[in-house]
Amino acid sequence: CPSNVDVAKLKAEYLAQSHTSRGGPPLRSRIFGYVRAFNRLGSAMYPVANALASWPITRSLANRMLGLDARRSLPRFAPSLHRWFASREGPVNTNAPAVVLYPDCFTTYSEPHIGRAAVQVLESLGYRVVLPRVGCCGRSMISVGMLREAKHACSATAKELQRILQQEQAVAVVGCEPSCISAIVDDWPDLQLGIDQHDLGQLVSRTYAVEQFIESHWDEHPRTPTFHADSDSKPVILHGHCHQKALWGTAATETLLSRACGDRLRVIDSGCCGMAGSFGYTREHYELSMNIGELALMPAVREAADATVVAPGTSCRHQIKDATGRTAMHPIEFFAAMQQEASTTAFVGAGR
């Protein structure tokens, strides 16, 4: 807040102590907190899981058991990013500098096309991408006050990331989901993970949102792409994620997107989308969630009917979809598409 009080951490601590006094977190908090495990299960059986989620009877049971609002859509599952990564063919340059792509539970199990775009862009920049099988960042647990469980999960994940960084001699850990990156860089240092603070600080200092890493190290990449932005193409509008805006800002995302689309980019002057993770799913918060989105973001999206909508947060994209029917792209997904367009244009031009 403006007085520099971290309200989110106070809320998490209050909820944690409340859970302790009541004998443990309620069922809804446990399910929201362990979203990674449920997403992994849903991805493993995604055709069945998606069918069950859309079946009126099972959806009604979920609404009743978890207090979900019937008007809120549920995320879809997809074959995991790990499955795609393991099945890829083609030579790997073992001498290239490594970048560790943190497999958050949304990119990995629900939106793997975003992870594939991140791999594509990082490899085009000359990096060898490492996709480890590590655990949760703890964001979902922290948000519902499951701090004891978060400390255990984050400690294991941090130790494994430290080991992989050292083993691969990686230059950075990057991630696609701002809320997960914010957990690593902002919450882990305060969680008392039982890890040497210097070592944890080294990990935190080398962790970035993927577009933040690409832009902040633009002149240091092994290879640098060239774009020929077409100012006559349709406009692009960007909505920043709240964790992103609070911690590292949207400047790197804006600059990177501008490299690809020139002056077509416009940053929406918006606050929170209103979704706020699991907040917007619940029956008691749905109306407030939508009203927050209607303050600025949703009218701006509707007014820009011909624009490409870009938003780095999975919650933001979900809210935009539910409120306007528009599908928003992740910045790295948009950047990968512009790369592909530029390379195709260059190939056609060379053929002439």
Side-chain angles (χ1 to χ4, degrees):
C1 75
S3 59
N4 291 322
V5 175
D6 195 327
V7 178
K9 284 191 172 79
L10 287 176
K11 175 199 170 189
E13 185 63 41
Y14 172 82
L15 288 175
Q17 294 188 30
S18 298
H19 296 335
T20 299
S21 67
R22 296 170 183 169
L27 175 64
R28 184 166 77 177
S29 294
R30 290 183 182 275
I31 290 179
F32 286 154
Y34 288 126
V35 65
R36 185 180 186 89
F38 286 101
N39 281 6
R40 183 178 179 180
L41 178 62
S43 173
M45 47 183 290
Y46 70 96
V48 175
N50 289 335
L52 288 175
S54 60
W55 195 28
I57 294 177
T58 51
R59 177 61 200 267
S60 178
L61 288 173
N63 292 346
R64 187 178 307 173
M65 183 171 63
L66 301 177
L68 305 179
D69 195 285
R71 293 167 290 182
R72 176 66 70 189
S73 69
L74 296 179
R76 305 281 290 178
F77 300 107
S80 79
L81 183 63
H82 288 297
R83 183 189 301 185
W84 169 81
F85 194 80
S87 66
R88 288 197 311 154
E89 298 180 356
V92 176
N93 183 0
T94 56
N95 295 321
V99 169
V100 177
L101 177 60
Y102 176 71
D104 71 83
C105 61
F106 307 107
T107 303
T108 304
Y109 302 118
S110 293
E111 300 176 292
H113 59 282
I114 294 173
R116 294 195 295 268
V119 172
Q120 173 188 324
V121 172
L122 290 168
E123 289 184 340
S124 75
L125 294 172
Y127 293 104
R128 174 173 57 90
V129 178
V130 178
L131 185 70
R133 290 185 177 273
V134 295
C136 188
C137 70
R139 166 57 62 212
S140 58
M141 300 176 197
I142 295 168
S143 68
V144 295
M146 294 171 58
L147 295 186
R148 184 178 303 170
E149 295 83 353
K151 287 168 67 174
H152 177 76
C154 296
S155 178
T157 303
K159 289 175 182 176
E160 186 63 9
L161 283 176
Q162 287 176 321
R163 184 190 69 79
I164 293 167
L165 273 172
Q166 183 175 8
Q167 174 183 295
E168 303 291 343
Q169 297 184 326
V171 298
V173 174
V174 302
C176 299
E177 176 53 41
S179 61
C180 296
I181 296 301
S182 75
I184 296 174
V185 302
D186 188 52
D187 291 293
W188 284 14
D190 292 337
L191 271 178
Q192 301 177 6
L193 300 182
I195 298 174
D196 180 83
Q197 285 298 306
H198 178 267
D199 292 342
L200 182 59
Q202 290 292 311
L203 171 61
V204 167
S205 68
R206 294 161 69 183
T207 300
Y208 306 84
V210 61
E211 66 269 26
Q212 179 193 19
F213 168 75
I214 293 171
E215 178 54 38
S216 63
H217 293 72
W218 187 260
D219 295 325
E220 304 166 21
H221 300 311
R223 292 197 300 267
T224 303
T226 301
F227 290 96
H228 302 285
D230 182 0
S231 60
D232 294 330
S233 299
K234 66 180 183 178
V236 179
I237 58 175
L238 169 67
H239 166 70
H241 188 279
C242 286
H243 284 126
Q244 174 189 21
K245 287 185 277 194
L247 294 176
W248 60 87
T250 61
T253 304
E254 295 172 33
T255 304
L256 185 66
L257 292 178
S258 294
R259 292 185 187 277
C261 67
D263 59 6
R264 290 189 284 145
L265 178 68
R266 178 172 68 87
V267 181
I268 302 175
D269 184 14
S270 58
C272 180
C273 73
M275 190 69 163
S278 59
F279 178 87
Y281 284 93
T282 58
R283 191 178 302 116
E284 67 269 27
H285 295 142
Y286 176 82
E287 290 289 351
L288 177 58
S289 168
M290 300 303 284
N291 288 339
I292 291 171
E294 292 295 341
L295 290 174
L297 175 59
M298 303 315 165
V301 171
R302 294 190 190 101
E303 289 171 9
D306 61 337
T308 298
V309 184
V310 179
T314 185
S315 290
C316 306
R317 294 190 298 273
H318 196 142
Q319 180 80 317
I320 290 168
K321 181 70 173 179
D322 280 357
T324 70
R326 303 279 296 280
T327 299
M329 301 177 73
H330 189 284
I332 200 66
E333 186 184 6
F334 177 82
F335 191 79
M338 292 298 98
Q339 268 192 320
Q340 184 66 36
E341 181 179 307
S343 63
T344 301
T345 301
F347 178 78
V348 172
R352 292 174 183 171

